[in-house]
Amino acid sequence: MTGVQKILWGVAGAALLVFAGLVLMANRATAPPADTPFRPTFALPDAEGRLRTAEEFSGKHLLVFFGFTNCPDVCPRTLIEVAQVMDGLGGQADLVQPLFISIDPTRDRGLELAEYTAAFHPSILGLAGEEAQTRAAAGSFRILYERENNSGAPDGYTMAHSASLYLIGPDGDWLRQFSYGTPASENLNDLKQRL
């Protein structure tokens, strides 16, 4: 085995470990017990600095995903599925607001976040606040995330995070989570039955 092949195998192994960590975190996300009221909240600025809250979207279903713009695979795949759901809703799309909440606000604040989400679908609203705001929102949704050093990633780090897609009802109550990799068609069918 040549030196280049060893390096490539090492990089592939590291990528596999990061992916396994993301899947593990996705599976550790805690759904609330069925008999416990659960109403996640957030107060985070959008790309233009306007503070957005859960109450603002009262009357709409929310599809919420926590991720970061430098994510190589999990986040883009999930946002593609969200876009497919929004397209599949047709005339009912205005009853649903998809949200992308950044767990890497240091890199994701600013207009680049709006460009990132719009590249997937124009209705996806990106939110990125200060670290305390992000931690509060993540805690409210009961999701996990953490920074991991990675010399091969932009700025020398990546983010491990719960990778589920969360559905919040028009009254603000948590309805369910879709595990990472749930087909868009399944998400769409579930949502259509609720609208």
Side-chain angles (χ1 to χ4, degrees):
M1 187 178 291
T2 69
V4 172
Q5 288 174 318
K6 288 179 183 178
I7 291 171
L8 290 175
W9 277 109
V11 169
L16 183 60
L17 286 174
V18 168
F19 181 74
L22 290 173
V23 170
L24 178 62
M25 286 191 77
N27 291 334
R28 288 189 343 207
T30 55
D35 60 348
T36 303
F38 179 58
R39 186 168 285 201
T41 61
F42 58 87
L44 295 160
D46 60 21
E48 296 175 354
R50 179 178 163 205
L51 191 65
R52 312 302 286 265
T53 65
E55 293 77 22
E56 174 184 348
F57 303 104
S58 178
K60 289 189 173 192
H61 283 79
L62 299 178
L63 275 176
V64 183
F65 181 70
F66 286 79
F68 62 111
T69 62
N70 282 299
C71 182
D73 46 23
V74 173
C75 302
R77 178 178 173 182
T78 301
L79 291 175
I80 288 169
E81 291 167 355
V82 169
Q84 291 170 344
V85 168
M86 295 307 292
D87 287 342
L89 287 172
Q92 293 181 303
D94 60 343
L95 301 174
V96 178
Q97 176 60 61
L99 299 174
F100 175 79
I101 298 178
S102 172
I103 47 109
D104 187 14
T106 301
R107 292 190 290 200
D108 289 347
R109 279 192 305 254
L111 294 175
E112 298 81 15
L113 181 58
E115 294 170 4
Y116 179 79
T117 56
F120 294 96
H121 198 275
S123 68
I124 301 173
L125 177 61
L127 305 174
E130 299 292 335
E131 183 62 28
Q133 293 171 310
T134 305
R135 287 275 172 210
S140 177
F141 278 83
R142 301 179 185 177
I143 72 114
L144 304 170
Y145 74 92
E146 65 184 344
R147 178 177 165 151
E148 293 184 345
N149 292 330
N150 180 336
S151 60
D155 301 316
Y157 72 94
T158 188
M159 302 296 293
H161 61 97
S162 302
S164 295
L165 181 64
Y166 301 91
L167 179 61
I168 308 304
D171 57 358
D173 288 338
W174 182 92
L175 297 177
R176 70 167 293 181
Q177 74 182 45
F178 299 101
S179 298
Y180 172 69
T182 301
S185 59
E186 186 177 322
N187 299 344
L188 177 62
N189 288 338
D190 182 284
L191 195 48
K192 278 188 168 182
Q193 292 175 22
R194 298 174 188 271
L195 296 177

